[in-house]
Amino acid sequence: MATPIIVVDDDPIVGTLTLELIQEAGFTAILVQDSLKAQDIIKKEKPRLVILDILMPGIDGLTLLHRLKSDPETAKIKTIIVSGKSFAAEKDRALQYGAELFIEKPYEVDSFGQKIAEILKTEGVEPRQISPSHSAPAALMRSDLKITIWGCRASSAAASPAATLYGKRTSCVSVETPRHLIVFDAGSGISLLGKELMESGKFKDVWLFLTHFHHDHIEGLAGLPVARDAAYTLHIAGASDPDKPLEDAIAEAFEPGFGEQAPPCRLEFYELREESYEILPGVRMTAFYSNHPGTALGYSLQAEDRKIVYCPDSEIYGEDATALQDYDEKLGGLCRGADLLFHDGRYTPEDYEANRNSGHSSFIAAVDFAGRNRIKHLVLVHQDDRYADDELDKMAKDAEARAAEKGYKLKVSLGREGLNLTV
Ligand SMILES: [Zn+2]
């Protein structure tokens, strides 16, 4: 028997919620997150009902609705449009294109299933109970995300130890989804990533999210190999400083390598605010301001049903927070339950005392923060470059000991160059 309902929603959280509501009402449904594939899947599956989100990357719900209703093979399929946008114009277009119903988000949970049942009853389809174990559709099967640290050291003007197993390159972390490459920061570590990209030729589009424009987060752009190749597109996202647009800041960062000329690669700029963005099908990025001098962002990435938070320059106040210092709470809300958190752990508690209010954290405060917010795996990054390996080894041990002593269900690692992780 064909699947009665197909839900097309790029947002895994809303999509899953929709599935649950449908299943509670006694129907079978599958979720399709990639709007570009939806039409083919709908044609093949011939569902009784399709539920379409309006705002999706790739193809929007109204265009998809129009295509379905214009195709004789799918024209008879009942359609519900759901959207957070509730403008009259959208509703009118949805109904004009032939949608049976327009439902506003957030859903009225109680009546949602009932509305679906009503629409399907007119089709003569009786609800049937299914067990949750049958409800995991192929479209929900998730792939692993592959994460690599290419650099994660802070850089200071002070003389630092010459050799280190943890690496001296500055901030750059990549996240590979099955189809996309997302990169955080362009410190000197990005040159290693760039070299590997040129060798593998695997991704021609690189999505780069910059936290801010301090030197140790952009210094790698000038020497980035893929920037010299016209076959590549660099999508660069970041926050504008009040006095400098993003594009100008990037042009300055490229200057040591390219002079006044723009690099040969294609450049796309995305100015971000504190907001959530659907950057690619099934990939949501939430940008938030971090507690660090100047305009600095942290990022929460949701893809493949996983959540990764990247916040390398951020001062957690910990137990000493005053009533006005609510940053820990705000950040906690954004990080809670993350599978992986990269967070500033620049200082030992003693050195933190000497560097309070500089926008960096003690690693102990970061461990406590992660433990309290039920993070699964904390990777401490942005260690001060003056620490030698023996000090960093001790930091790693002390961080683990702290988590154990406090009873946190938390894995803690100290970031180092070349570290590969899978979530
Ligand atoms: Zn900084």
Side-chain angles (χ1 to χ4, degrees):
M1 184 186 149
T3 305
I5 302 173
I6 289 182
V7 178
V8 186
D9 200 317
D10 58 297
D11 185 330
I13 294 169
V14 177
T16 308
L17 169 74
T18 312
L19 282 190
E20 283 168 5
L21 292 175
I22 294 169
Q23 283 156 8
E24 271 167 32
F27 299 101
T28 327
I30 63 166
L31 174 64
V32 177
Q33 282 182 242
D34 189 342
S35 62
L36 293 169
K37 289 189 184 144
Q39 195 175 1
D40 286 343
I41 296 173
I42 291 164
K43 262 190 164 177
K44 197 169 142 250
E45 290 283 325
K46 300 265 179 344
R48 299 268 156 73
L49 174 66
V50 173
I51 299 178
L52 300 170
D53 183 25
I54 289 193
L55 285 180
M56 295 185 288
I59 170 173
D60 71 278
L62 287 176
T63 309
L64 187 54
L65 167 69
H66 192 47
R67 286 191 192 166
L68 291 172
K69 292 293 185 185
S70 318
D71 185 334
E73 270 189 69
T74 50
K76 292 228 159 60
I77 296 171
K78 305 233 169 190
T79 326
I80 296 178
I81 291 282
V82 292
S83 182
K85 278 169 84 180
S86 56
F87 302 121
E90 247 84 33
K91 282 186 192 169
D92 290 349
R93 273 178 74 202
L95 301 177
Q96 183 197 331
Y97 287 163
E100 265 66 33
L101 193 63
F102 187 102
I103 300 181
E104 278 174 39
K105 287 184 189 173
Y107 303 138
E108 272 173 39
V109 174
D110 293 335
S111 61
F112 186 80
Q114 205 187 326
K115 284 177 180 165
I116 286 170
E118 274 163 24
I119 284 189
L120 286 183
K121 250 186 205 148
T122 61
E123 271 275 293
V125 180
E126 286 306 311
R128 64 189 177 99
Q129 287 302 318
I130 46 153
S131 66
S133 60
H134 292 160
S135 65
L140 271 186
M141 297 288 276
R142 51 170 298 273
S143 302
D144 286 340
L145 300 174
K146 286 189 240 163
I147 296 116
T148 306
I149 297 182
W150 304 94
C152 62
R153 271 302 185 103
S155 72
S156 62
S160 52
T164 167
L165 292 169
Y166 288 87
K168 295 285 279 294
R169 287 186 176 81
T170 53
S171 296
C172 179
V173 170
S174 65
V175 179
E176 213 180 290
T177 76
R179 282 171 300 150
H180 305 289
L181 180 71
I182 293 148
V183 182
F184 293 113
D185 276 337
S188 56
I190 203 170
S191 61
L192 298 179
L193 166 64
K195 209 170 144 243
E196 190 168 300
L197 282 176
M198 294 295 278
E199 281 164 16
S200 73
K202 200 169 162 194
F203 295 101
K204 292 286 193 256
D205 279 68
V206 178
W207 289 83
L208 176 59
F209 289 83
L210 299 170
T211 54
H212 62 308
F213 289 91
H214 287 160
H215 188 64
D216 51 342
H217 295 262
I218 48 159
E219 63 182 323
L221 281 177
L224 182 62
V226 298
R228 300 192 176 274
D229 191 329
Y232 284 84
T233 302
L234 271 178
H235 303 265
I236 303 182
S240 284
D241 268 330
D243 56 344
K244 195 179 284 175
L246 176 70
E247 249 183 278
D248 294 358
I250 302 286
E252 273 175 32
F254 275 120
E255 225 174 79
F258 298 91
E260 301 277 292
Q261 303 278 309
C265 71
R266 225 178 104 208
L267 289 174
E268 301 275 355
F269 298 99
Y270 306 84
E271 235 177 70
L272 304 180
R273 284 166 309 182
E274 197 166 57
E275 217 172 294
S276 203
Y277 301 88
E278 310 283 348
I279 56 165
L280 291 159
V283 183
R284 177 185 286 270
M285 187 73 82
T286 304
F288 57 88
Y289 296 119
S290 71
N291 188 25
H292 190 70
T295 308
L297 294 176
Y299 292 105
S300 168
L301 167 71
Q302 281 167 288
E304 299 295 329
D305 210 20
R306 288 288 181 269
K307 178 163 151 184
I308 299 172
V309 180
Y310 179 76
C311 194
D313 291 55
S314 155
E315 182 164 2
I316 288 173
Y317 294 115
E319 285 160 2
D320 301 334
T322 65
L324 290 174
Q325 292 172 325
D326 58 356
Y327 176 67
D328 295 16
E329 263 172 65
K330 175 198 148 185
L331 184 65
L334 289 153
C335 291
R336 205 150 297 147
D339 297 281
L340 191 57
L341 167 65
F342 292 93
H343 195 275
D344 192 318
R346 178 157 181 160
Y347 296 118
T348 61
E350 302 74 48
D351 289 345
Y352 172 71
E353 287 310 321
N355 291 279
R356 247 172 209 282
N357 297 318
S358 66
H360 296 287
S361 299
S362 112
F363 75 93
I364 291 290
V367 169
D368 288 348
F369 170 83
R372 280 198 305 271
N373 288 292
R374 301 190 304 275
I375 306 296
K376 295 190 183 106
H377 187 180
L378 167 69
V379 180
L380 294 160
V381 290
H382 218 265
Q383 273 73 39
D384 198 275
D385 57 345
R386 284 163 291 191
Y387 294 141
D389 281 0
D390 55 344
E391 288 167 286
L392 293 173
D393 289 343
K394 183 172 183 310
M395 203 185 249
K397 267 199 201 127
D398 289 352
E400 273 180 44
R402 176 74 170 197
E405 177 198 317
K406 291 274 186 175
Y408 300 137
K409 277 193 193 135
L410 171 71
K411 185 180 173 190
V412 192
S413 311
L414 210 62
R416 60 178 162 76
E417 215 168 286
L419 182 67
N420 291 301
L421 300 161
T422 304
V423 296

